[in-house]
Amino acid sequence: MDIGMIGLGRMGANMARRLHQGGHRVVGFDPGPAAREALQADGLEAAPSLEALVAALPAPRVLWLMVPAGAPVDATLEALRPLLQPGDAVVDGGNSRYQDSQRRAAACRQDGIDFLDCGTSGGIWGLAEGYSLMVGGDAAAAARLAPLFQALAPASDRGWGHVGPSGAGHFAKMIHNGIEYGMMQAYAEGFAILQRKESLALDVAQLAEIWRHGSVVRSWLLDLGAEALQENPELEGIAPYVADSGEGRWTVAEAIELDVSAPVITLSLLERLRSREKDSFADKMLAALRDRFGGHGVKRG
C-alpha cells in the first residue's frame, strides 16, 4: 500500500521504516528538515510540505498522524482536510484523548473521510519488536487498512485488532497506559525496599535478572529495568522527577466517572506528581503538625 506518515519523531520515523521493511511505499513529512533528511538517508521518500505529501499519494489516500496529542492534531487535520477527497483515510496513532477522536471522526465523516484512532504501544523498540495496535473507527475502513496494521504489528495475526467504534482505540490505549503506571510504580517501590536493606547487601541488579526468568513478576518492563540496573546499579545522575503525558490523569478521571475503584493507578499518578515537588509544603505541614501535637521536633533546612 501507499501511505503518508506525518510526524517523524522517535515513533513516527521508526513506524515509517517498519512499514517500508514490510513492503509498503511510505512518504514521510515532518516540519523539521533534519527529520526528513534522516528518513531519506534510509531510502524512504520525504515530502517538503503537506500539499506535496498528499499529491505524492494515489487515491484513495492513507495519511497516518504521529504528532503530539491536542492542538497539533487539530491543526494538522485542519490543514489536511481541504486537500483530501471522499474515500481517503486518516489514522491518528498518537495518544489523543478518546473524546477528541470521536469529535474528529464526526468532522471527517462530513467530508466522506474515514478517521481511525489507533492506540499505539511499543515505544522506541517497535521498529525491531513490532507495535501493539488498538484500532477504533469504522470496521470496513479498518479492514481496508489491515495490511498496514499487519506490517506494524509483531506478527500479521497478533498484536493488533479493530476494537470498536470511533474513540475505542484511544480509550483502550488510555487504560493500557494507566495499567502501565501501576506496574511501574510497583517495580519502583519494590526495588527501593531492596536497595534500602543495607544489612543484607542485596544486589538489586542481580535480583532483577533472576526475576526475569520463571518468576510470576517477569515482564518486558522488568527486562528494561534489569537492563537499566546492569548499566547503572545506583541510578546515578537520574533526577527523582517523573513526568506524565496525560493518559494516567484521563484514566483516573474516567474511573471516577464510571464509579470504578482504581486505587493503584490513582496512587501511582499521585506519586508522579509528588516527585516534582522540590520544596514540598505538604511535607513541611506534616512535620509542623507532628511537632505541635507530640513535641517531636522538626529538622531545620
Side-chain angles (χ1 to χ4, degrees), residues 96-283:
S96 292
R97 197 164 190 173
Y98 78 95
Q99 296 98 326
D100 290 337
S101 297
Q102 292 174 324
R103 169 178 56 80
R104 291 163 185 153
C108 286
R109 198 175 300 121
Q110 295 176 357
D111 297 337
I113 299 168
D114 290 314
F115 181 92
L116 298 176
D117 52 287
C118 182
T120 306
S121 180
I124 59 175
W125 297 90
L127 175 58
E129 303 292 335
Y131 299 87
S132 176
L133 306 170
M134 299 141 266
V135 185
D138 180 72
R144 179 164 65 88
L145 272 56
L148 300 174
F149 303 134
Q150 291 169 344
L152 286 168
S156 61
D157 61 346
R158 63 180 183 270
W160 76 277
H162 176 253
V163 299
S166 294
H170 280 152
F171 186 88
K173 180 56 162 51
M174 175 185 73
I175 302 305
H176 165 284
N177 284 21
I179 294 170
E180 181 184 287
Y181 275 45
M183 292 175 66
M184 292 172 67
Q185 185 66 31
Y187 280 127
E189 292 174 6
F191 281 109
I193 297 169
L194 292 168
Q195 192 267 347
R196 185 65 64 88
K197 190 64 174 177
E198 296 179 355
S199 63
L200 295 181
L202 295 165
D203 184 336
V204 293
Q206 178 198 29
L207 284 169
E209 186 62 30
I210 291 171
W211 290 352
R212 288 183 59 224
H213 307 281
S215 165
V216 296
V217 300
R218 66 186 184 273
S219 73
W220 186 43
L221 281 175
L222 181 59
D223 293 344
L224 298 175
E227 183 180 280
L229 288 168
Q230 288 289 347
E231 294 176 359
N232 186 359
E234 298 300 323
L235 302 182
E236 295 176 0
I238 299 176
Y241 180 104
V242 188
D244 75 283
S245 54
E247 296 88 351
R249 299 179 187 222
W250 302 341
T251 300
V252 170
E254 200 69 32
I256 294 170
E257 179 68 24
L258 296 172
D259 289 332
V260 174
S261 175
V264 172
I265 295 174
T266 302
L267 286 174
S268 67
L269 171 64
L270 297 181
E271 280 297 298
R272 291 194 179 199
L273 301 181
R274 194 182 191 285
S275 76
R276 304 168 203 175
E277 296 185 28
K278 295 181 179 179
D279 191 24
S280 172
F281 185 85
D283 287 347

Side-chain angles (χ1 to χ4, degrees), residues 21-101:
Q21 291 171 3
H24 299 283
R25 174 179 173 246
V26 183
V27 184
F29 168 73
D30 191 281
R36 300 196 300 268
E37 292 167 3
L39 198 70
Q40 289 174 313
D42 285 341
L44 284 76
E45 300 176 54
S49 66
L50 288 177
E51 291 81 3
L53 176 66
V54 172
L57 299 171
R61 302 169 187 83
V62 181
L63 286 305
W64 192 301
L65 311 185
M66 289 303 294
V67 299
V73 177
D74 284 320
T76 304
L77 272 178
E78 185 177 345
L80 271 179
R81 283 175 61 188
L83 306 174
L84 301 181
Q85 300 172 351
D88 291 346
V90 176
V91 182
D92 179 7
N95 283 328
S96 292
R97 197 164 190 173
Y98 78 95
Q99 296 98 326
D100 290 337
S101 297

